[in-house]
Amino acid sequence: MSPIDLTTGKKVPGKNEFHWSYTEEPHAIRRKQILAKYPEIKELYGHDPFMKYTTTFLVSLQITIATCFASQMNWWQYIVCSYVIGGTANHMLMLAIHELSHNLGFAKMQHNRLFSLFANLPIGVPSAISFKRYHIDHHKYQGEDGVDVDIPTAAEGRFFTNVLTKTVFIFWQVAFYALRPMIVNPKKPTIWEGINWVTALSFDFFILFNFGMPALGYLLLSSLLGSGMHPVAGHFIAEHYVFVKGHETYSYYGWLNIFAFNVGYHNEHHDFPFVSGRRLPQVRSIAAEFYQDLPVCESWPGVIYAYIMDPNVGAFSRVKRQKLDPDDLNRLKQQ
């Protein structure tokens, strides 16, 4: 199924309609093939003991800048700092939450969950617990219509169709990621989501009343700028938007992975979500022949530019599938 091209009367996948797949998502199949040949990859499973130190440093850095320096800056210093330092740090914290959602920060699940609340603090908006609920669905049901909320809605596809609107989408994409689940696949809030809201908003009010709006504004602006037109945020587009027909996940192996817990190794991550980002390069090294012929993203900033400028790429440039029967789909949505 694809959109109608007004010049030919035919539908064009990726431009006005999604790429529909009638096969299973590729990662479970490749995981079985790799493990059959390289069972030693299971030795890479488990948490990264160093991640908590990186995350604690980032949280401390952001709180220090917000409380000690934000009110001292003039307007251009404030914006530059929010983009260069704050944007990078807060985006790294979002990706730390991603690692923690896979229980890759600590051996025990509860410790990962509690630490994700801590990592969430400088981001300014409660998101850690809800992110995990939806992200696990993204892995288990990649591309599943009505379940995988990583995929834009048809309304987004119809609206964000030109350079101007796609630029707006990139700048505000974190808002669409936050609001889309409530439309596509709303879930009943859990007690832990309530705890997430209480801790995050309490921290926000503490910063606001003790250090003023410049401090809180710095943290919020860091999250907005760091998840929009920012080099590291290119991974949002690079991971699953279809730039090469027949492929729905892409890896990026460049140096920006330093600031992203190696989330660029995205085929490897989906193949082995129990391997921490720090060890994903080892997966690629061990099973090189399974990855060497896959198309890759060469540049995260470049993929943002390509997304905006290419008229054949947009919100519809995602792979969808309908593999769940209606009963299973309804049961999943009620969880």
Side-chain angles (χ1 to χ4, degrees), residues 3-276:
I4 294 179
D5 183 332
L6 296 180
T7 62
T8 65
K10 297 180 179 179
K11 292 186 174 184
V12 182
K15 195 170 183 181
N16 303 76
E17 179 57 285
F18 297 101
H19 297 261
W20 286 90
S21 172
Y22 302 98
T23 63
E24 298 291 339
E25 59 90 8
H27 301 290
I29 297 171
R30 188 161 56 233
R31 177 166 55 249
K32 291 178 182 178
Q33 294 171 339
I34 292 175
L35 287 176
K37 187 172 183 179
Y38 301 109
E40 64 268 27
I41 282 183
K42 287 186 177 181
E43 297 175 10
L44 301 177
Y45 289 8
H47 72 285
D48 175 6
F50 299 101
M51 202 211 76
K52 58 182 173 288
Y53 302 118
T54 303
T55 302
T56 300
F57 168 77
L58 293 168
V59 171
S60 302
L61 173 67
Q62 284 296 84
I63 292 175
T64 300
I65 294 175
T67 59
C68 299
F69 300 105
S71 62
Q72 316 271 332
M73 302 178 195
N74 59 39
W75 68 270
W76 68 264
Q77 292 171 329
Y78 191 87
I79 293 173
V80 170
C81 187
S82 297
Y83 182 83
V84 177
I85 300 177
T88 304
N90 271 15
H91 199 100
M92 285 189 72
L93 288 172
M94 294 176 192
L95 292 172
I97 289 171
H98 168 259
E99 289 282 286
L100 293 162
S101 75
H102 290 285
N103 298 318
L104 294 173
F106 298 87
K108 294 184 178 180
M109 183 182 70
Q110 191 78 322
H111 294 168
N112 286 279
R113 179 183 286 162
L114 289 169
F115 198 68
S116 74
L117 301 180
F118 172 70
N120 197 160
L121 296 178
I123 294 171
V125 179
S127 58
I129 303 301
S130 294
F131 173 82
K132 177 174 182 174
R133 297 181 72 191
Y134 286 105
H135 188 66
I136 298 306
D137 283 350
H138 168 62
H139 274 266
K140 292 176 66 176
Y141 307 102
Q142 181 173 311
E144 185 69 32
D145 188 30
V147 177
D148 185 357
V149 299
D150 190 70
I151 297 176
T153 62
E156 291 171 75
R158 287 189 291 267
F159 184 79
F160 299 110
T161 58
N162 55 52
V163 171
L164 177 60
T165 56
K166 286 195 284 186
T167 300
V168 172
F169 173 79
I170 291 292
F171 190 84
W172 290 101
Q173 65 182 318
V174 69
F176 292 102
Y177 272 98
L179 297 174
R180 191 184 300 139
M182 293 185 281
I183 298 170
V184 176
N185 186 14
K187 294 177 182 285
K188 184 179 179 180
T190 66
I191 184 65
W192 275 101
E193 281 165 307
I195 293 171
N196 193 179
W197 276 82
V198 169
T199 57
L201 294 181
S202 296
F203 178 79
D204 289 347
F205 284 119
F206 173 80
I207 293 293
L208 178 63
F209 289 125
N210 288 279
F211 301 98
M213 193 60 212
L216 180 60
Y218 166 77
L219 296 176
L220 294 172
L221 187 60
S222 294
S223 295
L224 177 63
L225 296 180
S227 57
M229 202 72 67
H230 191 282
V232 180
H235 78 88
F236 285 136
I237 302 298
E239 290 167 357
H240 296 293
Y241 279 77
V242 178
F243 285 89
V244 179
K245 188 176 180 180
H247 295 272
E248 58 187 280
T249 306
Y250 305 81
S251 288
Y252 161 78
Y253 300 121
W255 64 274
L256 286 173
N257 275 304
I258 296 170
F259 303 105
F261 294 98
N262 281 336
V263 77
Y265 287 74
H266 215 65
N267 268 303
E268 294 83 351
H269 168 61
H270 270 265
D271 290 351
F272 297 98
F274 302 121
V275 175
S276 68

Side-chain angles (χ1 to χ4, degrees), residues 255-312:
W255 64 274
L256 286 173
N257 275 304
I258 296 170
F259 303 105
F261 294 98
N262 281 336
V263 77
Y265 287 74
H266 215 65
N267 268 303
E268 294 83 351
H269 168 61
H270 270 265
D271 290 351
F272 297 98
F274 302 121
V275 175
S276 68
R278 190 167 63 90
R279 299 190 186 104
L280 287 176
Q282 293 174 254
V283 172
R284 184 192 179 205
S285 178
I286 293 170
E289 70 271 26
F290 287 90
Y291 298 106
Q292 62 188 10
D293 295 326
L294 297 178
V296 300
C297 171
E298 299 291 348
S299 166
W300 279 344
V303 85
I304 293 176
Y305 178 83
Y307 174 84
I308 292 173
M309 301 304 295
D310 190 337
N312 295 311

